[in-house]
Amino acid sequence: MASLQLRRLLLRSVRFRSLSFLSSSSIEPPPYFPHQTPPKFSPNFFPPSPLFQIKHFSSKPVSPTQTPPNELDPIATALSSQLLNESDSDPSSVAERLHLSFSHITPTPNVILQTLDLSPEAGRIVLGFHQWLASNPKFTHTDETVSYFVDYFGRRNDFKAMDKVLTAGGAGPKTLISAIDRLVRADRPNQAVQFFDRMEKDYGLTRDRGSLKVVVEKLCLKGYGSYAEKMVKDLANEFFPDEAMCDLLVTGYCVDGKIEQARRLAGEMYRGGFELGVGAYNAMLDCISKICRLKDPFKLHSESEKVLVEMDYHGVPRNVETFNVLITNLCKIRKTDAALGLFYSMGGWRCNPNETTFIVLIRSLYQAARLEEGDVMIDGMKSAGYGDFLDEKAYFGFLTILCGIERIDHALKIFGMMKADGCEPGVKTYDLLMTKLGAHNRVDKANALFNEACSKGLAVTPKEYVVDPRFLKKKRVVKEKKRETLPEKMARKRSRLKQIRLSFVKKPKRSMGRAI
């Protein structure tokens, strides 16, 4: 017993020394694209600790868990049916009827949200619902409830009704975000800028630097960089821009694909004494990569390296999003080995991969039919603490790729892994697998999946597997020989005789030199 305990103590000391050596060793940052071939990705080997610095040893989610959806309130159902039945009435009359029928209830924000979600076809009758709430002594409109109505009318592009809701009062920061978001998503940047100019006078909203940043951010994320830049320059005397706003302006041009405008703006900012952040450079890197993918994929390496050199020159450190942009664009042009090389080099730049990095690489490995390496990457994702991001959507993407490359057996293996991880497959997953199994004449397995889906109460309807028309064998069309009529026969003879006559005519020689 004493020798066994001594042996365990020695093993623990050896493990502790190896771990301390790995953590204290300094690693030189490797080049962006190594010129040598990247190390072979063996299914039984993972890179050392700089690549997988495991933060989470438990299976708890990294991000906050999503709350389950609330059950439908019977009051919301009754209000929704009333609004849908009164679709041809006037809003004021609807408000009176709601006052007579529902005067005994106390509305809550959850009831209001469910009522609006259940009444997408009610239209402007919802204005009557808003008037009834405003006249109800048991209820007072808040910023949250007003934003619900702004979202409702914004989805319908009914901005006149949205204006009436805002004029009634109760608007706040959430309402501002909803209104600007709906205007920008409806491709109305001019109205979004005008909304900011008159929101304090017409709606009582505070016009400050925070609200300006909201408008600029919504415009830039949609690609309206020119509108945002003009707005910021016009209001520079009132709200002087900061570095975060400068990053947003550069991002706005990059989202629109205008890399020259983004570089011009970046140069102006550096000359004005501003410092660009890593978000602006990531946007420029993504924009250049997309342009290279469309025009010349072979230039992606050189053009992206210019941006990275510029980042190093200005002292902007790379982060995980920088690597994700490069890895994603490399995987889209099927350069999986180069993407894996970047994946291995992340530890040298003190960056750890996140869930996006793993999912993109897994999809690319499966697309390249490197199935074992994709499975090992899934295990690495789980060991790094991101296993909770392997949800139904991620697994469905893997299954779609595997079925697309005709690896149905491996798709069934991933399907079993999906259920073992606690993900409940949906109707689309069962339909995909049953359709593919039916195309491979594996009826028994398809029937087993069908019975399994029916036992869970899923209404599955397997469809016929459609083969891509490019891979279908074209049938030869055999033309039936028709009997030639006399006029057709005479025309054919005349054409043939003309060809024979012209064949005896001496043709002029082409002049070899130039006529003087």
Side-chain angles (χ1 to χ4, degrees):
M1 291 296 293
S3 61
L4 182 61
Q5 292 178 358
L6 181 62
R7 182 179 178 184
R8 290 178 180 175
L9 183 62
L10 288 173
L11 287 174
R12 288 180 182 178
S13 63
V14 169
R15 288 177 184 174
F16 177 75
R17 289 179 181 177
S18 62
L19 288 174
S20 62
F21 171 75
L22 288 175
S23 60
S24 62
S25 59
S26 59
I27 303 172
E28 293 293 331
Y32 158 56
F33 279 112
H35 296 287
Q36 65 272 17
T37 56
K40 189 175 179 182
F41 189 70
S42 174
N44 298 321
F45 172 75
F46 265 113
S49 62
L51 179 61
F52 292 105
Q53 295 180 1
I54 302 176
K55 299 179 182 179
H56 310 280
F57 293 92
S58 64
S59 60
K60 295 181 180 180
V62 181
S63 60
T65 56
Q66 298 180 354
T67 56
N70 297 326
E71 297 181 357
L72 287 179
D73 197 310
I75 299 176
T77 307
L79 287 169
S80 173
S81 61
Q82 183 73 20
L83 293 176
L84 293 173
N85 291 334
E86 302 291 340
S87 58
D88 298 332
S89 303
D90 186 71
S92 58
S93 62
V94 171
E96 294 177 359
R97 292 175 186 173
L98 290 176
H99 181 70
L100 294 174
S101 304
F102 299 94
S103 59
H104 59 284
I105 69 169
T106 302
T108 60
N110 188 29
V111 170
I112 295 172
L113 180 60
Q114 289 187 6
T115 303
L116 294 176
D117 290 340
L118 293 172
S119 313
E121 304 297 331
R124 285 202 179 183
I125 300 301
V126 175
L127 284 175
F129 179 47
H130 181 267
Q131 294 173 10
W132 171 69
L133 290 172
S135 62
N136 194 331
K138 300 179 182 179
F139 179 81
T140 303
H141 271 298
T142 61
D143 180 24
E144 184 180 5
T145 57
V146 175
S147 66
Y148 294 158
F149 285 93
V150 169
D151 277 329
Y152 178 84
F153 290 115
R155 283 194 296 267
R156 298 177 56 85
N157 290 340
D158 192 352
F159 296 105
K160 290 184 178 180
M162 188 177 77
D163 185 74
K164 292 181 179 180
V165 171
L166 291 169
T167 308
K174 290 185 179 179
T175 307
L176 172 65
I177 294 173
S178 299
I180 296 298
D181 181 61
R182 291 300 170 182
L183 286 170
V184 173
R185 289 172 68 177
D187 296 328
R188 301 190 179 192
N190 278 324
Q191 292 188 17
V193 175
Q194 295 171 6
F195 185 92
F196 179 79
D197 293 335
R198 58 186 176 87
M199 67 181 188
E200 190 170 13
K201 179 181 177 181
D202 295 348
Y203 310 127
L205 293 169
T206 307
R207 192 168 175 268
D208 54 2
R209 183 183 296 274
S211 57
L212 175 63
K213 188 176 180 181
V214 169
V215 181
V216 171
E217 182 179 4
K218 295 296 182 181
L219 288 171
C220 291
L221 293 181
K222 189 64 176 177
Y224 295 111
S226 58
Y227 291 91
E229 182 185 3
K230 185 178 183 303
M231 183 180 181
V232 170
K233 288 183 176 180
D234 291 342
L235 298 172
N237 294 329
E238 187 177 356
F239 307 106
F240 193 74
D242 54 2
E243 293 181 356
M245 202 170 294
C246 294
D247 288 353
L248 286 174
L249 294 176
V250 174
T251 304
Y253 281 115
C254 293
V255 171
D256 198 20
K258 299 178 180 178
I259 187 62
E260 297 299 331
Q261 294 291 334
R263 284 173 171 166
R264 185 264 308 166
L265 189 60
E268 291 181 3
M269 291 173 181
Y270 274 116
R271 288 191 295 271
F274 292 97
E275 294 288 338
L276 287 180
V278 67
Y281 279 107
N282 289 343
M284 293 173 65
L285 191 62
D286 190 32
C287 180
I288 287 176
S289 301
K290 288 179 180 177
I291 293 173
C292 291
R293 284 196 291 111
L294 291 175
K295 294 184 177 180
D296 190 358
F298 294 102
K299 289 185 177 180
L300 191 147
H301 167 73
S302 59
E303 294 297 328
S304 58
E305 194 169 6
K306 291 178 183 177
V307 180
L308 295 172
V309 169
E310 187 176 353
M311 289 177 65
D312 296 337
Y313 176 78
H314 291 288
V316 180
R318 306 174 192 180
N319 61 0
V320 64
E321 294 301 326
T322 309
F323 285 95
N324 284 345
V325 167
L326 294 170
I327 289 173
T328 302
N329 285 280
L330 286 171
C331 290
K332 286 184 178 180
I333 59 174
R334 298 293 183 265
K335 289 192 175 182
T336 309
D337 288 331
L340 285 173
L342 281 176
F343 179 68
Y344 292 135
S345 67
M346 290 180 69
W349 294 96
R350 304 299 187 267
C351 294
N352 292 323
N354 60 7
E355 69 279 0
T356 304
T357 317
F358 284 106
I359 290 176
V360 170
L361 283 173
I362 292 168
R363 291 173 65 92
S364 182
L365 288 169
Y366 282 153
Q367 189 72 48
R370 298 163 70 167
L371 307 181
E372 293 183 359
E373 299 176 29
D375 294 346
V376 176
M377 189 66 71
I378 291 179
D379 295 337
M381 182 175 178
K382 293 178 181 178
S383 64
Y386 297 104
D388 293 295
F389 290 95
L390 288 170
D391 52 3
E392 183 187 355
K393 181 180 179 182
Y395 275 114
F396 181 75
F398 303 155
L399 293 175
T400 304
I401 293 173
L402 291 171
C403 291
I405 64 172
E406 304 296 332
R407 298 294 192 276
I408 185 62
D409 291 328
H410 204 80
L412 293 174
K413 176 183 175 182
I414 298 299
F415 180 68
M417 187 187 302
M418 175 183 180
K419 293 189 292 185
D421 289 343
C423 294
E424 288 295 331
V427 177
K428 291 184 179 180
T429 306
Y430 280 105
D431 284 345
L432 174 67
L433 292 175
M434 287 191 302
T435 303
K436 196 65 179 179
L437 288 168
H440 284 256
N441 293 325
R442 300 176 65 174
V443 183
D444 296 338
K445 190 63 179 177
N447 290 334
L449 287 178
F450 180 77
N451 295 331
E452 180 182 340
C454 291
S455 64
K456 295 181 179 179
L458 300 176
V460 290
T461 53
K463 301 176 183 178
E464 184 180 357
Y465 182 71
V466 180
V467 183
D468 195 328
R470 295 176 297 175
F471 304 107
L472 289 174
K473 292 183 178 180
K474 297 182 179 180
K475 296 181 180 180
R476 295 182 179 180
V477 180
V478 181
K479 297 182 179 180
E480 297 180 359
K481 294 184 178 180
K482 297 183 180 179
R483 186 173 181 180
E484 201 174 24
T485 60
L486 182 60
E488 292 174 350
K489 184 177 180 181
M490 296 303 295
R492 181 173 55 79
K493 285 187 175 182
R494 284 194 299 270
S495 175
R496 182 57 183 160
L497 288 173
K498 184 178 179 181
Q499 290 178 359
I500 293 173
R501 281 199 311 271
L502 291 176
S503 64
F504 292 99
V505 177
K506 188 175 181 181
K507 298 174 179 57
K509 294 182 180 180
R510 295 182 179 179
S511 57
M512 300 298 294
R514 218 171 166 186
I516 300 174

